[in-house]
Amino acid sequence: MGPKANLQSMASVCSLRLQTTLLRRHRSPSYVSKCRNRSILCFQNIQTDRDSRNGFKEESIRRRRDVLIQFLFCGSSFHSIFAGSASAETDLKEDFRIYSDDSNKFQISIPQEWLVGAGEPNGYKSVTAFYPTEASNSNVSVVITGLGPDFTRLESFGKVDAFAESLVSGLDRSWQRPPGLAAKLLDSKAGNGLYYIEYSLQNPGESCRHIFSAIGMASNGWYNRLYTVTGQFLEEESEIYRSKIEKSVSSFKLF
């Protein structure tokens, strides 16, 4: 039974008790006044409980959305990273190779000629990036971050459509005066145990940045971890990188 049903049940019980008491006793003015006051107090307590529950729920949703916004910003603002060693095996099909990370239990297909960079682990966070050899703002990154005990599954963030809408609206600052970052949701879907989100980001006077993102969750045996895969390219580089980045992000798998 949910919070709303609980509150309705409480109200029904309170009302029934008041009605039963009134039927058993004389309806003196003083007694009616006393019962009226008790009824008001009872419903005030119910309303206070409802407000408290709603406030807790809204705070929990806001906090979860902020967690995801932080993770996505980490991936979408990534441009370059120092190259590091990592295990990889080659897949010759369509000029892609499979990168496997045995310690973090994921794999992803990346363009054959792209470089791999791994950041130094920082507490519960690690970053792995894939980027072209030529100078470019386009790349794919995998950010892994530890989660609190209240995040037990991906649905803890909400259903994919509602989550994506809330997330992108949380990034959008185009309504400010002067306008800030404009964020636009393009697509969202769930599949293979992951959330897939497509959206765009554009600062005033700058090129539009297109984002493909895959979000998943897995446990390392001690705590749950959030995997945020972010592929990005500038609008003017769409013909060169769009299909590569889209395929790379959609190939991400946890094992």
Side-chain angles (χ1 to χ4, degrees):
M1 182 179 294
K4 183 176 181 181
N6 284 331
L7 290 171
Q8 290 174 339
S9 178
M10 289 169 59
S12 298
V13 171
C14 181
S15 178
L16 180 59
R17 286 178 178 175
L18 286 172
Q19 290 173 7
T20 301
T21 303
L22 285 171
L23 289 172
R24 289 179 177 177
R25 298 191 181 185
H26 296 292
R27 296 175 177 267
S28 64
S30 61
Y31 185 76
V32 171
S33 177
K34 183 184 296 184
C35 288
R36 183 183 296 113
N37 290 337
R38 287 180 180 176
S39 178
I40 292 173
L41 179 59
C42 177
F43 282 97
Q44 284 178 339
N45 289 336
I46 291 170
Q47 183 61 45
T48 300
D49 185 57
R50 180 188 291 114
D51 293 342
S52 177
R53 290 171 184 264
N54 289 341
F56 178 80
K57 182 178 180 180
E58 291 174 0
E59 172 62 21
S60 178
I61 293 173
R62 184 197 62 78
R63 182 165 57 85
R64 290 175 178 177
R65 188 193 70 182
D66 291 346
V67 168
L68 264 296
I69 289 175
Q70 179 183 357
F71 295 155
L72 285 179
F73 258 135
C74 180
S76 63
S77 63
F78 182 89
H79 291 287
S80 63
I81 195 167
F82 292 109
S85 60
S87 62
E89 56 181 302
T90 303
D91 178 8
L92 299 178
K93 294 180 180 180
E94 300 181 18
D95 297 326
F96 275 76
R97 60 190 172 103
I98 297 177
Y99 173 90
S100 294
D101 187 325
D102 294 332
S103 61
N104 287 309
K105 306 298 182 183
F106 76 83
Q107 72 176 32
I108 186 171
S109 295
I110 59 173
Q112 189 71 251
E113 72 281 5
W114 279 27
L115 303 176
V116 180
E120 291 296 326
N122 180 16
Y124 291 107
K125 181 182 292 185
S126 68
V127 181
T128 306
F130 313 95
Y131 48 96
T133 54
E134 63 273 14
S136 172
N137 287 315
S138 301
N139 54 69
V140 175
S141 62
V142 180
V143 179
I144 307 172
T145 308
L147 292 172
D150 53 335
F151 297 93
T152 57
R153 56 197 182 105
L154 197 56
E155 287 75 11
S156 297
F157 295 103
K159 297 297 183 181
V160 62
D161 291 335
F163 160 71
E165 185 66 39
S166 177
L167 179 68
V168 175
S169 64
L171 293 170
D172 186 63
R173 294 294 180 271
S174 60
W175 49 267
Q176 293 180 336
R177 293 294 178 268
L181 178 70
K184 182 180 181 181
L185 179 63
L186 302 176
D187 193 18
S188 62
K189 61 184 178 180
N192 304 316
L194 303 170
Y195 282 177
Y196 298 95
I197 303 174
E198 181 184 354
Y199 60 102
S200 63
L201 298 173
Q202 185 171 19
N203 278 311
E206 297 182 5
S207 297
C208 181
R209 188 176 299 276
H210 203 91
I211 310 292
F212 286 106
S213 187
I215 302 165
M217 186 184 298
S219 174
N220 65 354
W222 293 279
Y223 55 88
N224 287 326
R225 298 189 296 176
L226 187 74
Y227 293 74
T228 305
V229 187
T230 304
Q232 62 174 330
F233 59 90
L234 296 180
E235 189 171 342
E236 56 265 30
E237 297 179 333
S238 177
E239 290 188 9
I240 303 173
Y241 295 113
R242 180 186 177 94
S243 62
K244 293 181 179 180
I245 288 176
E246 185 174 8
K247 177 176 180 178
S248 184
V249 173
S250 62
S251 72
F252 179 80
K253 295 179 181 179
L254 294 169
F255 60 85

